[in-house]
Amino acid sequence: AQSVAQPEDQVNVAEGNPLTVKCTYSVSGNPYLFWYVQYPNRGLQFLLKYITGDNLVKGSYGFEAEFNKSQTSFHLKKPSALVSDSALYFCAVRDMGKAYGGSQGNLIFGKGTKLSVKP
Amino acid sequence: EAQVTQNPRYLITVTGKKLTVTCSQNMNHEYMSWYRQDPGLGLRQIYYSMNVEVTDKGDVPEGYKVSRKEKRNFPLILESPSPNQTSLYFCASSFRGSTGELFFGEGSRLTVL
């Protein structure tokens, strides 16, 4: 069964320092991987995705993620954190077991990692 | 503006009193889905719909019903709410052929006493 794990409940970073939010996955076949962000009292927003191609994926707000097949990881990174990056971050993988005719499949979300950036 | 709209945003109700949380999207998306978010559990899918009149169970469908009579609307129905359905609910949508980018509503916080 497909699954995704976020090993850290919370990550604390000082403003200006690089940040990493970790995600590992377990899928059969090639993974479709995603990162979403949830700001307080808001819905989730799409940040970036990996489908195929370059292992380093760039997304919104200066975030990027590195796909590592051998380590089955898809860590979210940013070179210099901002206080406004403080939010809840979710990693997700497409559930290929529920794909329909090769098209849309549902997403399986991790439990989320709370990122706190202090001034 | 492209958006997914949920109502109500906040609701306090009592056990057994039927309620409906509405979800509407203006992007002509075929796919719609309901999730609940609980601390320490992340997002869990309740029901989803691939298109009009096509719905299927997600991971936690017990106690919920849905309908998809129109493409833009996907209401979540709690026929007899119980306290364990106290949660934050999100509706999401996307194009059927997309590679997974979901558009989420702002959420509906439900408390069942």
Side-chain angles (χ1 to χ4, degrees), chain B residues 16-68:
Chain B
K17 186 176 181 181
K18 180 180 179 180
L19 67 93
T20 299
V21 185
T22 64
C23 174
S24 181
Q25 49 91 8
N26 63 359
M27 295 168 279
N28 202 35
H29 287 165
E30 295 89 358
Y31 176 88
M32 297 186 75
S33 181
W34 277 102
Y35 294 87
R36 59 178 289 174
Q37 182 180 13
D38 301 289
L41 296 177
L43 272 78
R44 295 179 292 168
Q45 190 181 51
I46 303 171
Y47 269 95
Y48 61 96
S49 170
M50 288 302 301
N51 214 325
V52 176
E53 303 292 0
V54 180
T55 63
D56 207 348
K57 296 178 180 178
D59 298 317
V60 288
E62 295 78 20
Y64 305 95
K65 287 175 57 177
V66 293
S67 68
R68 189 87 182 275

Side-chain angles (χ1 to χ4, degrees), chain B residues 90-103:
Chain B
F90 287 101
C91 180
S93 70
S94 75
F95 285 113
R96 180 183 174 121
S98 80
T99 50
E101 181 180 348
L102 290 171
F103 292 81

Side-chain angles (χ1 to χ4, degrees), chain A residues 7-9 22 31 33 35 39 45 48-49 51 53 59 63 68-70 85 88-89 92 98-99 105 114 117-119:
Chain A
E8 302 155 317
D9 291 334
K22 296 179 180 178
L33 296 159
W35 276 102
Y39 297 104
Q45 297 177 35
L48 52 79
K49 65 184 176 187
I51 305 299
F63 283 93
N68 187 317
K69 189 172 184 177
S70 63
D85 292 330
L88 190 57
Y89 290 81
K98 291 183 180 177
K114 183 179 180 181
V117 182
K118 300 295 186 186

Side-chain angles (χ1 to χ4, degrees), chain A residues 9-44:
Chain A
D9 291 334
Q10 181 156 344
V11 170
N12 299 312
V13 178
E15 188 174 31
N17 283 0
L19 69 87
T20 299
V21 182
K22 296 179 180 178
C23 172
T24 59
Y25 65 88
S26 174
V27 301
S28 53
N30 295 321
Y32 286 20
L33 296 159
F34 307 84
W35 276 102
Y36 284 78
V37 59
Q38 183 182 25
Y39 297 104
N41 300 313
R42 302 294 300 276
L44 279 72

